[in-house]
Amino acid sequence: ILEKMLSVISWQHAWWYAGILGLVIFQITLLFVKDHPKQKLRHVKNIPNASWKKLFFDLVDILKNYQFILNGLIGCILLLPISVFANTWANLFFQQAGNVSNHLVSNYLVPAIFLGMAVGGPIAGIMSEVIGRRRIIFQISIMASAILFSLIILFPVLDFNILIALMFALGLFTG
């Protein structure tokens, strides 16, 4: 879809349209997403009043939690190499090493990673809540991502459908 859109309009206009769409979604959210009125939540006791000051202090408390920082660092370590590979090097790498056309890389291989991330992130979150152990989920994600990324780099001449499956799985475990 992106390739067809960019053949009609420039990438600069595509960014403008994406920004405008984001603002429209923001406005719709402001209009339709509301907190429950306190009258409907009579059975809930001690509902705090919302304020910017309270929000600021709550955010400071979150930032003081070392697990929050550690989770962010682990997520960055997992996401950064995959994003750089997908956004920067994948086209040239698969064209030269795997003899795959730019069209196939841009329209199938690269989106497979990000689709896998979109699916894998919520699944990992749900699994860590159900299991109650985030560390094992992180360890499995790191090991699986390292194995899958190594397979993709070492064997770029695999069948195209296998490459798509590997790229999706890489995103799934990275997400």
Side-chain angles (χ1 to χ4, degrees):
I1 296 173
L2 185 61
E3 183 183 25
K4 289 179 183 177
M5 183 179 76
L6 291 177
S7 68
V8 177
I9 62 172
S10 70
W11 64 269
Q12 293 96 339
H13 286 107
W15 276 109
W16 276 104
Y17 294 141
I20 291 169
L21 179 64
L23 290 173
V24 168
I25 292 171
F26 175 70
Q27 290 294 322
I28 291 170
T29 304
L30 286 177
L31 289 173
F32 295 108
V33 176
K34 304 286 184 197
D35 287 335
H36 289 288
K38 289 185 181 182
Q39 297 84 3
K40 289 187 177 182
L41 298 175
R42 290 186 183 144
H43 62 282
V44 178
K45 296 181 181 177
N46 299 328
I47 299 174
N49 290 326
S51 71
W52 288 105
K53 184 178 179 180
K54 174 138 178 53
L55 175 66
F56 176 75
F57 286 117
D58 288 345
L59 289 173
V60 169
D61 287 342
I62 289 170
L63 291 174
K64 287 180 183 177
N65 185 346
Y66 79 94
Q67 286 184 336
F68 177 79
I69 303 297
L70 185 62
N71 286 343
L73 288 173
I74 291 171
C76 180
I77 290 168
L78 276 171
L79 177 69
L80 193 59
I82 306 305
S83 292
V84 168
F85 173 73
N87 290 318
T88 308
W89 302 325
N91 278 336
L92 189 60
F93 173 75
F94 284 114
Q95 285 175 14
Q96 291 180 353
N99 207 15
V100 180
S101 73
N102 183 31
H103 171 76
L104 293 176
V105 174
S106 298
N107 289 325
Y108 297 103
L109 290 179
V110 171
I113 288 180
F114 296 112
L115 182 61
M117 286 179 180
V119 172
I123 290 173
I126 292 167
M127 285 177 57
S128 70
E129 286 297 318
V130 170
I131 295 171
R133 297 179 61 200
R134 286 169 177 73
R135 185 176 184 169
I136 191 74
I137 300 296
F138 276 135
Q139 290 171 339
I140 291 170
S141 294
I142 290 168
M143 290 301 298
S145 295
I147 291 168
L148 289 165
F149 196 56
S150 297
L151 287 172
I152 291 167
I153 297 297
L154 294 173
F155 304 107
V157 292
L158 291 172
D159 179 60
F160 185 71
N161 292 325
I162 293 173
L163 280 176
I164 290 176
L166 287 173
M167 296 286 270
F168 179 80
L170 178 62
L172 189 73
F173 283 102
T174 302

